[in-house]
Amino acid sequence: MAYQVTQSDLEAIALGGAFLGTGGGGDPYIGKLMARQAIAEHGPVTVIAADEVADDTLCVPVFMMGAPTVMLEKLPSGDEILKALAELETFLGKKAGALICVEAGGLNSTIPFMVAAATGLPLIDGDGMGRAFPELQMVTFTMHGIASSPMVVADDKGNSALMSTISNLWTERLARVVAVQMGGAALVAAFPMNGADMKKALLHGTMTTIRDIGNTILSERKASRHPGAALRAMTGGAHLFTGRVVDVQRATEGGFARGKLTLRGIDDFAGQEFLVHFQNEFLLAETATGAPICMTPDLICALDADMGLPVTTEQMRYGMTVEFSAIPADPQWHTPAGLELAGPKYFGYDHEFRPFTTGERA
Amino acid sequence: MAYQVTQSDLEAIALGGAFLGTGGGGDPYIGKLMARQAIAEHGPVTVIAADEVADDTLCVPVFMMGAPTVMLEKLPSGDEILKALAELETFLGKKAGALICVEAGGLNSTIPFMVAAATGLPLIDGDGMGRAFPELQMVTFTMHGIASSPMVVADDKGNSALMSTISNLWTERLARVVAVQMGGAALVAAFPMNGADMKKALLHGTMTTIRDIGNTILSERKASRHPGAALRAMTGGAHLFTGRVVDVQRATEGGFARGKLTLRGIDDFAGQEFLVHFQNEFLLAETATGAPICMTPDLICALDADMGLPVTTEQMRYGMTVEFSAIPADPQWHTPAGLELAGPKYFGYDHEFRPFTTGERA
């Protein structure tokens, strides 16, 4: 069922996106500001269920691509992504009738609201990941044979590139280096698809889930409760561990923010040490001895242990206490095709995928 | 005046292009084979003077972009560049009426003959450099305000990218990284321009000069004479030095073949040592003490001292004896705008441009 999103919903959407963004998907504060300004100027955004979209409607995902570390210091103006969308429409000779959110994330699930407000297009209730992943081809759209190209990458300076590629992996390779040259991050309109294909390939309901998660975070905090337990109850999640960050290794390389956190367990997990590896997103949580406790494509979600707010990879600092939860990924990600796209082996981790466990409790 | 180029002309064209290619512009053998096959299949190519082109004719330069070291091992099929041209035509909504050679070079002044044969389009007698330069924006077209984009970069696998950029330097930056991802080299259709602009911006007559230089190399060799002296007489050139290669430093980095030759003078130049720096092309010849004797944008042309054939940077090997000549660049390259585009400072050499001198003779 369709509903309206106004400025007052954006706080929850940015928080919920950041939680499901598993450390990536961009900073929630920036995304919220961008969407808020656009809604203030153009009015509320209509979120519609996938089933409400006609089969021949052109549906276009819009998103930012690049290292979140860069996005923090290089704010998009909003014009770039509208330009990317317009160039894609010109190339296709058809106007978009609905927008799609490519992933859950603080920035990438709020940017589509900005584009929707500015264009007057509805935003479909769903996404292509149900979480955030670092690479462009890691979407259910790929599993359903939807090509990422033609695709337009645009920057803040006025440059753009329209890609036509033989596979979604090739789009990722070419667009990633272009995004790096464009300053480390770029705005993208890609995966154009008709309504019929969208209904098959989309993970339905994600935008509503994001909003509900965000509202839970807000209401639990208002009631002076840490939202972790309530969020796990909503999502079928588990408490992996709570720990204090004792080391952050971080590098922006190849257009990604890569690194590793070391955490010392506290409370129930005192005496244990944990490692969390990331490439834009948290991808693998291990014990200090290298035994995996949660791995991609399952979600590794971080909340500040004191404040109860989502923590992105680039916000991680020495001394923070963080509560890590695991949430099972959409079942499509557990299929052989899903694991090939975004399983631990793809990222170079020498583990066969297994469902998550939790840290041992004292 | 228009004339026909047949298979039998290609030997001369490849050699002449390689000589003016100043070590770059690709391997003459490969370019010759590609053009020969296309002419065998489709018939001869018409070379027309710029003045014979109507002012509203769409004129398109076609070329290969990348490290010559890579081009040697990764032969284009020919389809890529036709695809690049066709995609550019589709984007512009207009068919090309004539082709342009972007630079003199063993490969890049023969590839346009291949495209001309395959499409039936005439090739204009002229180019954008009068030599080869390593970067895309280093053309007289840039000096005359002609945009490099819209531009299409295509690879052998079927990927392509249509760039729209704010400057020719930005096209170089974006297309270069795409070419690197595409395997180190890519085929390009760029700088679309109408006939009126072409006539102002082109260096006229280059294709005929290339052919005449090649024919001189062939006829001098046939008469058992080293062609160096005859070529210098034709081009206003000077004998820089003759030496034996005693060291070659070479790396393929950032999509370029970069390096430095050390040569020990022989014959009249015995007892001296010379350095020749290159980035795809020879850009700076110095004495061993770092005194420049010839620098970009003037041409540093290499002939095998024994065989009299042009030597490309990637053919340079320990022990080769090479005769280096200097040829003055087109006067446009000596203007402030020309030196800013392709003078020694652009390449990071700490020299003010000065006209060439020669090695001291014993």
Side-chain angles (χ1 to χ4, degrees), chain A residues 83 87 155 157-167 170 173-174 177-178 181-182, chain B residues 83 87 155 157-167 170 173-174 177-178 181-182:
Chain A
K83 186 174 170 239
E87 285 190 15
D155 73 8
K157 292 168 278 292
N159 299 301
S160 64
L162 190 152
M163 309 280 175
S164 302
T165 63
I166 52 170
S167 73
W170 268 104
R173 287 182 64 172
L174 298 181
V177 292
V178 167
Q181 284 300 314
M182 284 176 166
Chain B
K83 186 175 170 237
E87 285 190 16
D155 73 8
K157 292 168 279 290
N159 299 301
S160 63
L162 188 152
M163 309 280 177
S164 302
T165 63
I166 52 169
S167 73
W170 267 104
R173 287 182 64 173
L174 298 182
V177 291
V178 167
Q181 284 300 314
M182 283 176 166

Side-chain angles (χ1 to χ4, degrees), chain A residues 236-307:
Chain A
H239 185 180
L240 286 175
F241 64 88
T242 301
R244 185 180 307 278
V245 178
V246 294
D247 192 46
V248 184
Q249 288 175 32
R250 196 198 302 279
T252 301
E253 53 180 29
F256 295 109
R258 293 180 206 262
K260 187 175 73 169
L261 307 174
T262 308
L263 299 107
R264 199 158 291 156
I266 58 173
D267 302 338
D268 283 354
F269 304 90
Q272 299 175 67
E273 208 169 83
F274 301 95
L275 303 173
V276 180
H277 302 263
F278 59 87
Q279 175 183 330
N280 291 9
E281 282 74 37
F282 304 120
L283 295 175
L284 173 64
E286 296 174 319
T287 66
T289 58
I293 55 176
C294 185
M295 56 181 101
T296 177
D298 282 343
L299 286 70
I300 300 171
C301 302
L303 291 170
D304 184 296
D306 302 316
M307 306 287 288

Side-chain angles (χ1 to χ4, degrees), chain B:
Chain B
M1 231 192 57
Y3 58 89
Q4 299 281 101
V5 165
T6 64
Q7 288 190 62
S8 62
D9 298 312
L10 291 173
E11 177 80 23
I13 289 168
L15 287 174
F19 182 72
L20 290 183
T22 66
D27 188 78
Y29 183 68
I30 293 166
K32 186 178 68 183
L33 290 185
M34 287 176 62
R36 179 175 287 168
Q37 190 184 336
I39 290 179
E41 194 174 332
H42 303 283
V45 168
T46 303
V47 174
I48 56 173
D51 297 340
E52 297 173 89
V53 177
D55 281 356
D56 63 349
T57 296
L58 174 62
C59 307
V60 181
V62 285
F63 55 97
M64 193 161 185
M65 175 171 191
T69 30
V70 172
M71 295 185 205
L72 267 178
E73 304 192 358
K74 185 169 176 298
L75 305 190
S77 73
D79 294 342
E80 312 89 306
I81 196 160
L82 295 174
K83 186 175 170 237
L85 177 62
E87 285 190 16
L88 185 63
E89 289 175 327
T90 301
F91 179 80
L92 294 169
K94 188 170 179 179
K95 288 279 179 189
L99 298 171
I100 305 177
C101 174
V102 79
E103 66 176 354
L107 190 61
N108 267 343
S109 49
T110 42
I111 277 184
F113 285 97
M114 188 209 76
V115 182
T119 58
L121 292 172
L123 178 63
I124 299 168
D125 189 5
D127 82 328
M129 301 187 192
R131 51 165 294 163
F133 277 124
E135 299 183 18
L136 182 143
Q137 76 281 8
M138 297 173 170
V139 279
T140 50
F141 313 144
T142 300
M143 285 193 257
H144 290 264
I146 294 171
S148 50
S149 78
M151 145 167 170
V152 177
V153 190
D155 73 8
D156 53 325
K157 292 168 279 290
N159 299 301
S160 63
L162 188 152
M163 309 280 177
S164 302
T165 63
I166 52 169
S167 73
N168 294 354
L169 195 58
W170 267 104
T171 318
E172 160 65 26
R173 287 182 64 173
L174 298 182
R176 184 70 54 184
V177 291
V178 167
V180 169
Q181 284 300 314
M182 283 176 166
L187 281 300
V188 183
F191 293 97
M193 62 187 93
N194 65 35
D197 288 338
M198 177 275 294
K199 288 169 203 174
K200 284 179 213 152
L202 196 78
L203 295 177
H204 292 250
T206 310
M207 304 319 292
T208 301
T209 304
I210 286 172
R211 185 197 60 183
D212 292 351
I213 286 175
N215 279 327
T216 299
I217 294 173
L218 291 171
S219 61
E220 290 291 289
R221 274 170 49 84
K222 202 167 175 189
S224 300
R225 283 191 297 265
H226 190 278
L231 293 178
R232 289 188 289 271
M234 280 180 73
T235 57
H239 185 180
L240 285 176
F241 64 88
T242 300
R244 185 180 307 278
V245 177
V246 294
D247 192 47
V248 183
Q249 287 175 32
R250 195 198 304 278
T252 302
E253 52 179 31
F256 295 108
R258 294 181 204 261
K260 186 175 75 169
L261 306 174
T262 308
L263 300 107
R264 199 157 291 155
I266 59 172
D267 302 338
D268 284 356
F269 304 90
Q272 299 176 68
E273 208 169 84
F274 301 96
L275 303 174
V276 181
H277 302 263
F278 60 87
Q279 175 183 330
N280 290 10
E281 282 74 37
F282 304 120
L283 296 175
L284 173 65
E286 296 175 319
T287 65
T289 57
I293 56 177
C294 183
M295 57 182 100
T296 179
D298 283 345
L299 286 70
I300 300 172
C301 302
L303 291 171
D304 184 296
D306 303 315
M307 306 287 287
L309 292 171
V311 189
T312 62
T313 55
E314 67 270 19
Q315 290 166 340
M316 288 289 175
R317 295 286 179 275
Y318 177 87
M320 285 184 82
T321 54
V322 188
E323 180 189 286
F324 276 94
S325 298
I327 299 176
D330 183 273
Q332 289 195 52
W333 289 116
H334 293 148
T335 63
L339 292 173
E340 192 185 327
L341 268 183
K345 298 273 187 194
Y346 178 87
F347 291 101
Y349 303 125
D350 194 20
H351 298 301
E352 292 297 334
F353 174 78
R354 278 182 305 165
F356 53 82
T357 59
T358 61
E360 286 170 42
R361 285 167 193 265

